[in-house]
Amino acid sequence: MTSTINIKKKLIEVAIPLEAINAASAREKSIRHGHPSTLHLWWARRPLAACRAVLFAQLVDDPSGYADKLLDDPKIRKQAEADLVVRLKVWGDRKADAQGNVPDTPEPTLEDCAADIERKRLFQIIEELVIWENSTNEEVLGRARAEIRRSCGGLLPPVYDPFSGGGSIPLEAQRLGLPAYGSDLNPVAVMIGKAMIEIPPRFKDKAPIHPGIKERSFYRNAEGLAEDVKHYGEWMREKARARIGHLYPQVDLPKEHGGGKATVIAWIWARTVPSPDPAFSNVQVPIASSFLLSSKPGKETWIDPIVDKVAKTIVYRIRTGGTKAEIAAAKEGTKAGRGSHFRCLLSETAITPKHVTSAGKAGNMKQTLIAVVADGKSGRAYIAPSTEQETLAHSAKPTWKPEQRQPENPRWFSPPAYGMETFGDLFTDRQLVALNTFSDLVHEARDQVAKDALRAGLSDEPTLLRDGGKDAKAYAEAVSVYLAFAVDRLADAGSSIATWSSSEFIRFTFARQAIPMTWDFAECNVLSDSTGNFRGAVDWVWKALLGFGPNSTGTVIQHDAQNVKLPSGAVVSTDPPYYDNIGYADLSDYFYVWLRKNIKDVYPDLSSTIAVPKAEELVATPYRHGGRANAEVHFLSGMTSAISSLAAQSSSEFPATIYYAFKQSEIEQEGLASTGWATFLQSVISAGYAIVGTWPVRTERAARTIASGTNALANSVVLVCRKKEAAAEVITRAEFIRALKRELPPAIAELQAANIAPADMPQSAIGPGMGVFSRYKAVLESGDSPMSVKTALQLINRELDEYLGGIQGEFDADTRFAITWFEQNGMGMGEYGTANSIATARGISVESVKHARIVESAAGKVRILARDELDDDWKPESDGHLTVWECLQHLVRKHEKDGISHDTAVLLKKIDTKAEAVKDLAYCLYDISANKRKDAKEATAYNALIADWTELTRQAAAIHDTSGDRQIRLDI
């Protein structure tokens, strides 16, 4: 078993305020300017709030280890004694009511109550810590750092992430004042990491150096660096305007748009292929997925292609309004089905996928201008294309284009199938000219910054940025890194994969984690002030810099995770690749071709390869490894090797935390024992870790999300791991099941006590279940073969189901009748005879359940009363036939109507000693609704209540019942 000698249990091994963390993580999705993720695109970053909370809970001691010392404080002792009285009463009542279906939970102690009081205090720190606005709040961060320092004996351990990717974990470690280390095989990830945690501390609190600085007494963190990035980004923009402005001319607005000149926002192009009709085979016809430009009510605008079969021409005009049929037809473009099925506008002949593919491969796929979007006097102005505009675009002559080939992997890359084989093929000539121009200006800006830095008083010390330099030359290199990131943002916006949305904005290249083929595209004006322009790209970058609060040093290096060397005493927290979810290396080549061009002088080692390294990447990519079986072997062996290395090198004083992201489609097909999840868990266990906790982290509100027909699943799960004892035992399947039945129910009860939402319970219960499985050297099946992780997951899920079914025995007989009836009939009617049999088996009658106002019985039929049929004047304190079922349904109705409110908290307060049973019933009914009845709406209602239970309990505790007049008052 895992040794606990001289190892203090950490908070994350016991409980965390999961709902607060998930709510903050979900909110992060709406944060735009200023969020560190906007510095540079990276795929599947973990939410910063979750990383911050996990690191804190990973390092701070759980109060159970020092509860006796807490009782030395008179205030805590007094509160613990009062809490114990209440808890003992609830525990005694539930034990007396139990029917033997649920294992006894330990009798509460004074130490338990003291630990819970302290745990709530730590939870409050986390709840403040995860709020986005507090990510740079030094007062809140200072309290967190003080707690970490206290638990770590004053010596803050280094945190290491060997799969640092987008840099979220090292960044949050640094924010918490911890020495932050990261590494990644991918050079793009390493450059992002350096820009986030390595460069900002180097120039912390430094004033900007550009000419014309406004007087300011103090610059905090990276504010001075950000101001210089903004200034030199504008310098680049003006230089670019002088060089390529002629390629981005204004257009004449038609009279209906007020006349005069206007700046172009975007040019809308459609790809074309030769008509498949022999009569028109010499004519290029459009293959457009949509002709709809604006779908906004009252502003519907669309492209109307005017066909002249005699002249063999197609002219595009702009229409507004129109009938529903015309707009619906415009929305379909020239599509004639899914995929690359189109129709020829000239002949109505089918354009088959084979014809499109052949045209692309033969170099016969072209493009034609079908609309121009301008910045009109009262919003977007859509203008018909002109020959002059199209000719000007084709006059652009790029001096360089990326020749790196895209992978032949249709899952992530569609364009190669149509002849667009290199990354350079994804851009029009004008886009390439613009990207080349801005790339050249990155180098020129670096020289200009160096000159201005010397004038501003920085030393001419020649030490380079990569060698730890802090003076003029290094500073110029630092600024150029962020300007190069702005060029990468420009590349994301400015490719022929970017499309125009009828909601009137440009979808960038990476609207999803792949490069799909697009049939019509939007070419943005990089010199405008609208979507996809260079100034906007720079804005995202310098505003992201403002969000960095470097409170310690940071280092990110390029290295594979299997052989990386950790600093002494390192704590591991990492977000590794997820089986086959994302092709990081393949996709990041899109940016690497530009980064390599722009900052190879700054980081030559990171730019030494033509493409991003791929062979060693720990992703199960079938096309690279000769099939799915080989890909899985590569992933499992490599991940096991990497995690084994981490387990061997990391500190024994702290648990490791490892994130795993679920692939939703796989989960929907295979459930919680999915192949990718099971494979990943197997690699962790084989590496020498025992899994002691699993915490589901979601970026959607758990209370509002439920998967269709299955348990709702979090976006990712945090595994909490401890090193396994070398002398671990081997046990049999039967012994494992007995251990599960003994240890899992109390652990689930603790999760319920921590108000883990029902939707999150299946994933949370994996932690204690796998804790049993993974602490042994092996669990042997009947034929002496080792049990697979997948089998163990299935057994754990079975025990959870049995537990949730078993807690029904704790409820009153009327409630137990209602549970059985609901499971069989939902809210529908059933036969009285069946109802009578169920009631008799519980020692009651149907009339008893009817008297309890749970069911309606008439004409030989029985049904459960819906919540909207319940008595509006119901009061639990005066109900002579009070049941847990009725308490829950009234509470759910109030919560559905008012959410977390004073009235909802008052009702919870009145339910009093039934509250814990009500919560148990909510878990039970969620399980029935979600997994047995497949009733998403009903399941969501119970999940939502538990998700808000902590806050409702907090509010209820502040309410006092005055015995004189039964009035409820809030204790302010």
Side-chain angles (χ1 to χ4, degrees):
M1 294 184 54
T2 305
S3 173
T4 56
I5 300 172
N6 298 324
I7 293 179
K8 293 181 288 186
K9 186 172 284 190
K10 297 298 177 179
L11 183 64
I12 200 167
E13 297 175 85
V14 178
I16 57 175
L18 192 59
E19 182 57 26
I21 295 168
N22 285 337
S25 297
R27 184 175 170 239
E28 262 190 49
K29 292 181 73 176
S30 64
I31 305 298
R32 293 175 63 78
H33 279 296
H35 193 282
S37 65
T38 63
L39 182 70
H40 193 289
L41 176 68
W42 191 256
W43 300 272
R45 295 173 189 257
R46 292 308 96 208
L48 302 181
C51 297
R52 195 153 61 243
V54 165
L55 283 167
F56 178 86
Q58 187 177 355
L59 298 173
V60 169
D61 295 339
D62 183 73
S64 59
Y66 55 93
D68 53 338
K69 295 180 181 177
L70 290 170
L71 290 169
D72 292 339
D73 185 325
K75 289 184 179 179
I76 293 179
R77 176 174 283 276
K78 182 178 179 181
Q79 185 179 342
E81 288 171 346
D83 290 349
L84 183 61
V85 172
V86 175
R87 287 180 62 172
L88 282 172
K89 184 179 187 309
V90 172
W91 178 81
D93 289 347
R94 294 183 69 186
K95 186 174 182 180
D97 290 342
Q99 304 296 310
N101 295 315
V102 180
D104 290 339
T105 54
E107 182 177 351
T109 67
L110 197 59
E111 288 75 13
D112 292 338
C113 295
D116 280 344
I117 293 166
E118 175 69 358
R119 210 171 277 128
K120 287 176 183 176
R121 185 186 71 82
L122 295 174
F123 280 11
Q124 288 175 348
I125 292 175
I126 294 176
E127 288 162 8
E128 282 192 305
L129 193 62
V130 297
I131 295 171
W132 166 251
E133 287 75 12
N134 289 340
S135 57
T136 56
N137 185 321
E138 282 301 313
E139 182 182 349
V140 172
L141 292 169
R143 284 198 292 272
R145 293 182 202 124
E147 287 295 336
I148 294 171
R149 194 175 294 276
R150 184 164 67 91
S151 288
C152 298
L155 297 175
L156 297 179
V159 171
Y160 202 105
D161 180 1
F163 297 99
S164 57
S168 295
I169 293 171
L171 177 68
E172 294 310 313
Q174 189 178 65
R175 206 189 300 275
L176 291 172
L178 303 158
Y181 295 86
S183 58
D184 204 290
L185 181 65
N186 192 309
V188 177
V190 175
M191 291 182 204
I192 294 171
K194 286 182 178 294
M196 290 175 69
I197 74 160
E198 202 171 285
I199 297 175
R202 199 88 56 83
F203 306 103
K204 179 180 168 68
D205 302 339
K206 300 292 185 183
I209 57 86
H210 67 80
I213 301 169
K214 294 179 181 179
E215 289 298 325
R216 181 173 166 181
S217 58
F218 180 71
Y219 285 85
R220 179 173 167 267
N221 293 327
E223 289 175 345
L225 179 60
E227 188 173 312
D228 276 334
V229 171
K230 179 183 179 183
H231 175 87
Y232 290 100
E234 189 63 28
W235 179 90
M236 286 174 61
R237 184 174 185 260
E238 292 309 309
K239 293 285 186 183
R241 184 183 297 281
R243 297 178 191 182
I244 60 172
H246 63 282
L247 293 175
Y248 298 90
Q250 290 189 313
V251 291
D252 294 316
L253 285 176
K255 290 181 181 179
E256 62 265 28
H257 290 295
K261 295 286 187 180
T263 300
V264 175
I265 292 171
W267 292 269
I268 311 299
W269 299 82
R271 302 194 198 278
T272 64
V273 295
S275 171
D277 189 318
F280 300 101
S281 60
N282 62 333
V283 182
Q284 290 283 127
V285 294
I287 48 175
S289 56
S290 178
F291 284 136
L292 188 61
L293 295 170
S294 174
S295 60
K296 291 184 177 179
K299 294 184 178 180
E300 293 88 350
T301 308
W302 45 287
I303 299 164
D304 185 14
I306 308 301
V307 176
D308 186 332
K309 294 185 179 181
V310 175
K312 298 183 179 181
T313 60
I314 303 171
V315 177
Y316 303 93
R317 68 173 180 173
I318 305 300
R319 293 274 304 275
T320 57
T323 66
K324 287 185 177 180
E326 286 176 322
I327 293 171
K331 188 176 181 180
E332 293 302 311
T334 62
K335 295 285 285 183
R338 294 178 61 85
S340 51
H341 289 270
F342 298 92
R343 59 186 174 84
C344 173
L345 285 182
L346 286 170
S347 64
E348 292 300 322
T349 304
I351 300 175
T352 65
K354 183 178 180 181
H355 182 78
V356 175
T357 303
S358 299
K361 289 287 189 182
N364 292 326
M365 185 182 288
K366 311 296 183 183
Q367 62 251 358
T368 186
L369 188 63
I370 57 175
V372 178
V373 189
D375 192 5
K377 296 176 180 178
S378 57
R380 300 278 191 262
Y382 297 96
I383 304 166
S386 67
T387 302
E388 292 77 16
Q389 288 278 343
E390 186 159 359
T391 301
L392 182 65
H394 292 313
S395 72
K397 303 299 179 186
T399 56
W400 180 84
K401 66 181 287 187
E403 297 296 340
Q404 173 65 28
R405 293 178 67 86
Q406 298 173 63
E408 295 180 8
N409 180 5
R411 179 182 171 192
W412 293 316
F413 296 86
S414 303
Y418 302 96
M420 300 168 66
E421 296 178 347
T422 70
F423 284 101
D425 292 336
L426 300 175
F427 302 93
T428 68
D429 286 345
R430 180 160 52 185
Q431 288 171 334
L432 287 168
V433 167
L435 287 167
N436 276 314
T437 300
F438 282 108
S439 293
D440 292 342
L441 285 166
V442 169
H443 296 272
E444 294 175 33
R446 186 182 303 134
D447 293 338
Q448 187 63 46
V449 175
K451 293 174 185 176
D452 291 343
L454 289 172
R455 292 193 197 100
L458 269 65
S459 165
D460 61 356
E461 163 65 40
T463 306
L464 303 173
L465 182 69
R466 62 180 178 270
D467 298 325
K470 297 181 180 180
D471 296 292
K473 187 170 182 62
Y475 187 75
E477 291 181 322
V479 171
S480 74
V481 168
Y482 298 104
L483 295 175
F485 281 10
V487 175
D488 274 17
R489 290 195 63 92
L490 200 64
D492 189 16
S495 81
S496 69
I497 304 301
T499 57
W500 183 257
S501 165
S502 61
S503 298
E504 301 190 304
F505 64 89
I506 295 176
R507 296 188 196 91
F508 288 6
T509 305
F510 286 102
R512 58 190 180 92
Q513 295 160 351
I515 298 181
M517 188 62 184
T518 56
W519 308 111
D520 42 86
F521 61 92
E523 181 189 6
C524 57
N525 182 348
V526 297
L527 299 177
S528 73
D529 292 322
S530 192
T531 309
N533 74 89
F534 185 69
R535 176 185 282 166
V538 173
D539 281 351
W540 287 105
V541 173
W542 75 259
K543 288 178 180 178
L545 260 173
L546 296 178
F548 299 146
N551 291 288
S552 69
T553 58
T555 303
V556 180
I557 62 170
Q558 185 180 20
H559 213 293
D560 71 282
Q562 298 180 57
N563 299 299
V564 73
K565 299 298 179 186
L566 273 57
S568 177
V571 177
V572 170
S573 185
T574 189
D575 180 20
Y578 311 120
Y579 195 59
D580 64 346
N581 285 15
I582 299 168
Y584 299 94
D586 287 339
L587 294 174
S588 57
D589 268 338
Y590 181 89
F591 294 115
Y592 181 73
V593 294
W594 295 107
L595 271 179
R596 184 170 184 265
K597 177 180 176 64
N598 295 334
I599 56 177
K600 62 184 177 184
D601 295 339
V602 180
Y603 293 115
D605 290 346
L606 290 176
S607 310
S608 60
T609 56
I610 298 297
V612 170
K614 297 178 179 64
E616 304 92 340
E617 184 187 34
L618 291 181
V619 175
T621 309
Y623 91 95
R624 191 180 297 150
H625 299 287
R628 178 163 292 278
N630 289 342
E632 182 169 331
V633 169
H634 168 78
F635 176 82
L636 181 58
S637 61
M639 193 60 69
T640 302
S641 174
I643 298 176
S644 296
S645 176
L646 299 179
Q649 296 182 68
S650 60
S651 171
S652 297
E653 295 182 29
F654 304 91
T657 53
I658 305 172
Y659 293 73
Y660 179 86
F662 279 98
K663 181 180 175 185
Q664 195 65 35
S665 61
E666 183 183 49
I667 289 295
E668 288 169 1
Q669 294 168 15
E670 300 184 61
L672 282 174
S674 65
T675 300
W677 175 225
T679 302
F680 190 82
L681 287 176
Q682 184 63 63
S683 69
V684 173
I685 295 168
S686 299
Y689 273 132
I691 298 168
V692 298
T694 47
W695 298 109
V697 175
R698 62 177 75 248
T699 54
E700 302 290 346
R701 276 298 296 248
R704 310 292 176 236
T705 305
I706 183 167
S708 175
T710 63
N711 294 329
L713 292 166
N715 303 80
S716 59
V717 168
V718 179
L719 302 177
V720 184
C721 309
R722 284 282 190 180
K723 294 185 179 182
K724 192 187 300 185
E725 275 293 320
E729 302 172 284
V730 175
I731 62 169
T732 64
R733 178 190 179 100
E735 289 171 321
F736 170 59
I737 292 174
R738 283 197 293 273
L740 267 186
K741 290 184 179 297
R742 182 175 62 251
E743 298 181 39
L744 194 55
I748 296 170
E750 287 182 11
L751 291 170
Q752 287 180 311
N755 303 325
I756 298 299
D760 292 327
M761 183 59 77
Q763 289 164 316
S764 299
I766 288 171
M770 290 306 298
V772 176
F773 178 78
S774 61
R775 71 172 174 236
Y776 295 105
K777 185 176 182 180
V779 176
L780 299 182
E781 299 279 20
S782 56
D784 286 343
S785 62
M787 178 183 288
S788 69
V789 168
K790 196 163 188 172
T791 300
L793 286 171
Q794 291 166 344
L795 291 172
I796 292 165
N797 214 32
R798 189 180 73 183
E799 290 302 318
L800 174 62
D801 286 343
E802 287 187 11
Y803 173 87
L804 292 174
I807 61 175
Q808 297 179 26
E810 290 194 353
F811 304 130
D812 56 84
D814 298 286
T815 295
R816 285 187 280 120
F817 167 91
I819 293 170
T820 304
W821 189 260
F822 176 72
E823 185 170 354
Q824 293 179 5
N825 301 285
M827 308 306 290
M829 285 194 175
E831 297 295 328
Y832 181 88
T834 304
N836 189 54
S837 297
I838 295 171
T840 302
R842 283 150 184 76
I844 57 172
S845 65
V846 175
E847 285 304 307
S848 172
V849 191
K850 185 177 180 180
H851 181 262
R853 289 177 288 189
I854 292 175
V855 302
E856 176 188 75
S857 173
K861 299 289 184 180
V862 175
R863 70 174 180 87
I864 289 176
L865 291 173
R867 281 189 288 275
D868 58 8
E869 298 177 288
L870 298 177
D871 183 0
D872 291 333
D873 297 324
W874 177 80
K875 293 181 175 59
E877 66 271 23
S878 59
D879 190 334
H881 193 158
L882 188 64
T883 63
V884 175
W885 180 276
E886 199 174 8
C887 290
L888 173 63
Q889 300 307 329
H890 277 284
L891 189 60
V892 169
R893 184 172 74 164
K894 179 65 70 175
H895 182 258
E896 284 183 316
K897 179 175 179 289
D898 300 333
I900 300 174
S901 68
H902 175 70
D903 287 349
T904 310
V906 166
L907 183 56
L908 180 60
K909 179 75 174 183
K910 286 182 176 181
I911 289 171
D912 195 25
T913 56
K914 298 279 187 188
E916 286 303 310
V918 165
K919 187 169 73 169
D920 283 348
L921 180 58
Y923 279 100
C924 179
L925 294 185
Y926 171 86
D927 183 56
I928 292 170
S929 300
N931 303 320
K932 298 181 177 70
R933 297 205 56 80
K934 313 298 183 187
D935 186 342
K937 184 178 178 181
E938 190 71 7
T940 299
Y942 301 120
N943 194 63
L945 177 66
I946 301 303
D948 289 339
W949 193 271
T950 299
E951 183 57 31
L952 285 171
T953 304
R954 185 179 297 165
Q955 289 192 20
I959 295 170
H960 290 258
D961 187 355
T962 56
S963 57
D965 58 5
R966 307 295 294 172
Q967 293 297 305
I968 300 294
R969 64 180 175 84
L970 182 63
D971 185 19
I972 303 296

